[in-house]
């Protein structure tokens, strides 16, 4: 078994906590209250021998970890129990993880040597109420793993414990169990500030994709996701009677002007090939039909797949809002919150990831994937290190089973994807170090 301390340039556990061992894995299994029949290992026999052996012996544990986290989701920056579970499972095989200063988020190294590649998983749940009817559904009101982060964490735990049992590794693998991916600013920035990328050559991650069948891994060179910023616009007016709009500033009309005109202005000021799109998500103003309100609020998201365009959007939005509202007489304050950069996978790192997926599952597992307008704070890591991100198929492939999209209360995944993910992560780390 490979055991080591964290790198000297990475701080130790700043919390100083000693986490007591959890009970045996079968306690988690029984807690789920469901049969834990073995799940198919779609890459069985492809090696290396120590990975095949580990999965034969521990596949049920990977499922149990996922079901436990699924039943006990924690929202962003509150992943304390999940953090303790991760640390305990890593320490139980002789590894020495440490926790970020905020008390959530875990970093741990496996192996020895100067060369280091990183594997990242996110841990937080969404503020949704689950509607899947699964026997291990969320027991936490208003929180649920409807984005697959419970699967991501279980996959990285499996990869970690399998790698810890490898006879020898050609370098170090850094495990990054990230908190707070679903909020802005995300936990990736905390990880980077704490030194989690110090000495890292490349970083890799996976994300569940219900549009891909289980056993498929989707990759793409270049932008995979989009930058995502938040816009909050507050408007003010003296208010007044709707029969005398000329004696006041018509706030609702001004809101409508921004709602309809700002997306149009941006479409003429930004290269249309950049995939830039502004969509409003919330608008609030007034109560009475015959009263001009004194204040209003408009919120939306602005997304782009182009990194250069992303750096130019904030001043463009500010100038456009000012010019649109100037004739109305309505006052405003604009809160523009830069969110996450696009995830841009470089060609070399993507080739390594594809080689890892092929070694894990065969050439038939490789799939191309489209660029998405969704945001993912893995993009922050790629501002500091080379790397690649992939989409992990979690749809059963059964035409009679509808695909249930991410961020919906009905999202479910085929648990065979957990073992697929373990294999892909392990093989990708080995390929990157080789």
């Amino acid at each position: 078994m490979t055991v080591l301390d964290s790198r000297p340039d990475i701080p130790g556990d700043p919390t100083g906590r000693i986490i007591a061992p959890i009970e045996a894995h079968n306690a988690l299994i029984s807690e789920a209250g469901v049969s834990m029949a073995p799940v198919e290992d779609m890459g069985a026999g492809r090696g290396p021998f120590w990975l095949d052996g580990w999965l034969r012996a521990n596949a049920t544990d990977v499922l149990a970890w996922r079901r436990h986290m699924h039943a006990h989701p924690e929202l962003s920056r509150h992943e304390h129990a999940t953090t303790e579970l991760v640390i305990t499972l890593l320490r139980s095989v002789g590894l020495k993880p440490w926790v970020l200063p905020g008390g959530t988020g875990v970093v741990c190294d496996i192996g020895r040597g100067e060369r280091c590649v990183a594997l990242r998983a996110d841990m937080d749940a969404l503020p949704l109420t689950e509607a899947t009817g699964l026997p291990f559904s969320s027991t936490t009101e208003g929180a649920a793993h409807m984005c697959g982060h419970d699967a991501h964490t279980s996959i990285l735990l499996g990869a970690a414990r399998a790698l810890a049992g490898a006879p020898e590794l050609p370098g170090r693998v850094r495990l990054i169990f990230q908190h707070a991916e679903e909020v802005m600013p995300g936990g990736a920035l905390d990880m980077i500030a704490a030194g989690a990328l110090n000495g890292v050559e490349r970083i890799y991650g996976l994300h569940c994709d219900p549009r891909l069948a289980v056993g498929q891994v989707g990759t793409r060179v270049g932008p995979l996701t989009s930058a995502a910023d938040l816009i909050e616009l507050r408007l003010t007016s003296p208010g007044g009677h709707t029969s005398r709009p000329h004696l006041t500033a018509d706030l609702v009309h001004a809101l409508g002007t921004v709602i309809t005109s700002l997306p149009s202005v941006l479409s003429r000021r930004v290269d249309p090939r950049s995939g830039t799109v502004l969509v409003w998500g919330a608008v609030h103003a007034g109560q009475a039909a015959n009263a001009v309100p004194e204040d209003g609020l408009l919120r939306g998201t602005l997304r782009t797949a182009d990194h250069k365009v992303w750096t130019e959007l904030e001043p463009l939005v500010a100038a456009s809002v000012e010019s649109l509202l100037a004739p109305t007489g309505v006052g405003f304050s604009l809160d523009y919150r830069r969110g996450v950069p696009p995830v841009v996978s470089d060609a070399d790192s993507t080739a390594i990831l594809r080689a890892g997926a092929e070694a894990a599952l065969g050439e038939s597992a490789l799939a191309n994937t489209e660029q998405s307008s969704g945001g993912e704070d893995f993009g922050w890591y790629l501002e500091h290190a080379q790397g690649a991100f992939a989409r992990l198929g979690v749809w059963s492939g059964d035409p009679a089973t509808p695909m249930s999209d991410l961020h919906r209360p009905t999202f479910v995944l085929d648990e065979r994807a957990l073992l697929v993910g373990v294999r892909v992560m392990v093989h990708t780390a080995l390929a990157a170090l080789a």
Side-chain angles (χ1 to χ4, degrees), residues 75-97:
L75 297 178
S76 302
R77 304 194 185 281
H78 297 278
E79 309 93 335
H80 298 287
T82 306
T83 293
E84 292 200 10
L85 175 65
V86 168
I87 286 185
T88 302
L89 289 172
L90 295 177
R91 286 179 174 170
S92 68
V93 291
L95 299 175
K96 298 184 178 180

Side-chain angles (χ1 to χ4, degrees), residues 137-408:
S137 291
S138 170
T139 59
T140 304
E141 183 69 27
H145 274 295
M146 297 292 101
C147 197
H149 295 189
D150 52 339
H152 303 164
T153 301
S154 302
I155 286 168
L156 189 54
L157 278 170
R161 286 166 65 101
L163 287 164
E168 185 178 1
L169 294 176
R172 287 179 296 121
V173 178
R174 179 160 300 156
L175 314 168
I176 298 177
F177 293 89
Q178 184 200 307
H179 59 301
E181 191 278 329
E182 295 287 0
V183 295
M184 297 182 187
L189 292 174
D190 301 333
M191 284 288 180
I192 294 165
L197 285 186
N198 291 356
V200 169
E201 293 180 8
R202 299 182 192 273
I203 182 168
Y204 295 93
L206 298 172
H207 198 295
C208 292
D209 188 343
R211 296 165 300 176
L212 286 176
V214 64
Q216 289 194 304
V217 179
T219 60
R220 174 187 172 91
V221 175
L224 182 65
T225 67
S226 294
D229 296 345
L230 298 180
I231 295 175
E232 183 172 286
L233 182 64
R234 293 186 178 275
L235 273 60
T236 56
S237 162
H241 201 287
T242 57
S243 65
R244 294 179 286 276
H246 59 294
L247 299 181
T248 185
D250 191 341
L251 184 140
V252 173
H253 178 267
L255 273 172
T257 298
V258 175
I259 289 171
T260 59
S261 298
L262 185 56
S264 298
V265 168
L266 293 178
S267 73
R268 295 305 185 268
R269 298 290 304 277
V270 174
D271 189 333
R273 294 170 297 181
S274 66
T276 302
V277 59
L278 169 62
V279 178
W280 302 113
V283 58
H284 304 281
Q287 290 181 323
N290 61 349
V292 175
E294 296 181 359
D295 53 71
L297 177 65
L298 184 60
R299 291 193 181 102
T301 59
L302 180 56
R303 303 171 187 271
T304 183
D306 189 295
H307 196 285
K308 182 176 182 295
V309 169
W310 181 56
T311 64
E312 301 169 348
L313 285 176
E314 183 173 0
L316 177 57
V317 168
S320 300
V321 168
E322 184 174 10
S323 62
L324 287 170
L325 290 179
T328 70
V330 170
F332 75 93
S333 64
L334 174 65
D335 182 9
Y336 190 105
R337 304 175 201 169
R338 292 191 78 197
V340 295
V343 171
V344 183
S345 300
D346 70 90
D348 290 341
S349 297
T350 303
I352 291 170
L353 179 52
R354 287 176 67 86
E358 183 174 354
L361 300 160
E363 186 178 359
S364 62
L366 301 178
N368 294 320
T369 189
E370 298 176 347
Q371 184 268 335
S372 164
S373 292
E376 162 62 65
D377 79 351
F378 190 84
W380 284 120
Y381 296 112
L382 299 182
E383 297 280 293
H384 300 270
Q386 290 184 307
F389 201 63
R391 294 195 169 117
L392 179 70
V394 297
W395 175 48
S396 68
D398 181 358
T401 304
M403 300 178 187
S404 179
D405 204 2
L406 301 169
H407 285 225
R408 292 183 59 83

Side-chain angles (χ1 to χ4, degrees), residues 117-135:
V117 299
L119 304 176
R120 174 267 202 175
D122 37 19
M123 305 191 298
D124 53 331
L126 284 164
L128 292 175
T129 298
E130 183 169 356
T132 64
L134 292 170

